[in-house]
């Protein structure tokens, strides 16, 4: 709309954007995510941004709604939905994660112990008062939550969730090293390490570790995929 000698931009109260960046190349898409977010903050316009791209959903949103087949799975802040997914679908859709199927072996005030399927391994998660011993669960662990520790590191107290492993796959992706590690019992986990770290070669021996608070426990039966 033109008024006098200047241009006026009419900012609507609500703007619907249906995958507007889907046809852009990767670099331009990254730049436009930032520009759209800055524009929204400057105008104060409420935007509903429809996307299948997890990075766009997290970067552009103040509030994320994850839907599957027309059903709302979870609503929350980006960090909340990513760190504490409410369902296996949400955990798979937003980022890569390892899914370990097991049953609750014990629950205390400060921890929950999960015996993994096969009975050869147990992991420790944070407290979950709503889960009862014997209840089937999915243990979800984000790739970036898993640390790789050198076997030659200085000896010290070993906390929970600390296991010997072997590197069976490595790929460098710029900002991150992507690994697949195999535990002594043959179970495999996917790990994302900082790209600035010294890479580990295939066949290298290492240790994997993660904090109990990084384990998300979801009620369930058979694993939905994502771990081998």
């Amino acid at each position: 709309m033109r008024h006098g000698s200047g241009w006026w931009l009419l900012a609507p109260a609500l703007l619907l954007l249906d995958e507007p960046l889907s046809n852009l190349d990767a670099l331009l898409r990254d730049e436009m995510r930032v520009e759209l977010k800055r524009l929204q903050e400057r105008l104060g316009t409420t935007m509903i941004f429809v996307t299948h791209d997890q990075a766009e959903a997290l970067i552009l949103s103040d509030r994320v709604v994850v839907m599957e087949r027309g059903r709302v799975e979870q609503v929350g802040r980006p960090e909340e939905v990513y760190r504490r997914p409410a369902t296996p679908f949400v955990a798979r859709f937003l980022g890569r994660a390892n899914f370990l199927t097991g049953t609750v072996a014990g629950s205390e005030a400060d921890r929950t112990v999960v015996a993994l399927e096969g009975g050869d391994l147990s992991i420790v998660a944070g407290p979950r008062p709503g889960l009862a011993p014997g209840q089937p669960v999915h243990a979800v662990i984000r790739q970036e939550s898993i640390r790789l520790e050198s076997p030659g590191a200085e000896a010290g107290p070993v906390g929970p969730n600390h296991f010997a492993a072997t590197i069976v796959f490595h790929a460098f992706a710029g900002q991150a090293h992507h690994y697949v590690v195999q535990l002594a019992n043959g179970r495999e986990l996917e790990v994302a390490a900082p790209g600035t770290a010294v890479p580990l070669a295939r066949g290298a021996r290492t240790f994997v570790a993660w904090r109990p608070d990084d384990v998300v426990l979801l009620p369930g039966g058979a694993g939905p995929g994502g771990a081998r």
Side-chain angles (χ1 to χ4, degrees):
M1 174 180 178
R2 178 159 186 161
H3 180 72
S5 60
W7 288 90
W8 294 82
L9 177 64
L10 294 180
L14 180 65
L15 183 62
L16 174 63
L17 302 173
D18 190 355
E19 305 206 48
L21 308 182
S22 59
N23 291 323
L24 302 181
D25 62 55
L27 179 59
L28 184 56
R29 189 164 60 245
D30 286 347
E31 293 174 350
M32 287 305 299
R33 288 170 184 159
V34 176
E35 289 302 317
L36 275 174
K37 182 65 175 177
R38 295 181 67 184
L39 179 64
Q40 185 275 327
E41 291 175 346
R42 187 162 65 248
L43 297 178
T45 300
T46 298
M47 295 182 179
I48 298 177
F49 195 99
V50 181
T51 182
H52 288 83
D53 187 298
Q54 13 180 292
E56 285 178 7
L58 295 173
I59 292 171
L60 289 168
S61 300
D62 298 306
R63 197 165 180 81
V64 177
V65 180
V66 182
M67 302 181 67
E68 181 187 22
R69 299 180 181 178
R71 184 182 67 251
V72 174
E73 293 276 324
Q74 187 171 359
V75 181
R77 294 177 296 102
E79 296 89 348
E80 173 191 352
V81 174
Y82 183 82
R83 300 291 181 195
R84 289 290 176 257
T87 68
F89 176 82
V90 175
R92 290 198 312 273
F93 182 75
L94 291 176
R96 298 293 298 273
N98 297 281
F99 285 80
L100 306 177
T101 304
T103 57
V104 176
S107 182
E108 302 175 12
D110 62 343
R111 62 171 52 193
T112 304
V113 180
V114 176
L116 298 184
E117 196 173 57
D120 53 359
L121 197 68
S122 292
I123 63 172
V124 176
R128 282 293 306 271
L131 296 177
Q135 182 173 351
V137 291
H138 303 305
V140 182
I141 309 167
R142 294 286 185 194
Q143 292 181 331
E144 67 273 16
S145 296
I146 301 177
R147 306 185 308 275
L148 297 177
E149 299 182 351
S150 169
E154 185 177 349
V158 176
N161 307 324
H162 189 274
F163 307 101
T166 302
I167 305 293
V168 297
F169 173 82
H170 167 255
F172 177 63
Q175 294 182 338
H177 294 281
H178 293 283
Y179 295 99
V180 176
V181 301
Q182 187 176 72
L183 305 185
N185 62 0
R187 188 184 303 271
E188 293 185 350
L189 299 173
E190 295 183 356
V191 180
T196 54
V198 177
L200 299 176
R202 184 176 300 183
R205 300 298 179 91
T206 186
F207 285 93
V208 293
W210 58 87
R211 300 182 309 146
D213 286 346
D214 289 327
V215 181
V216 178
L217 296 182
L218 301 174
R228 286 168 284 201

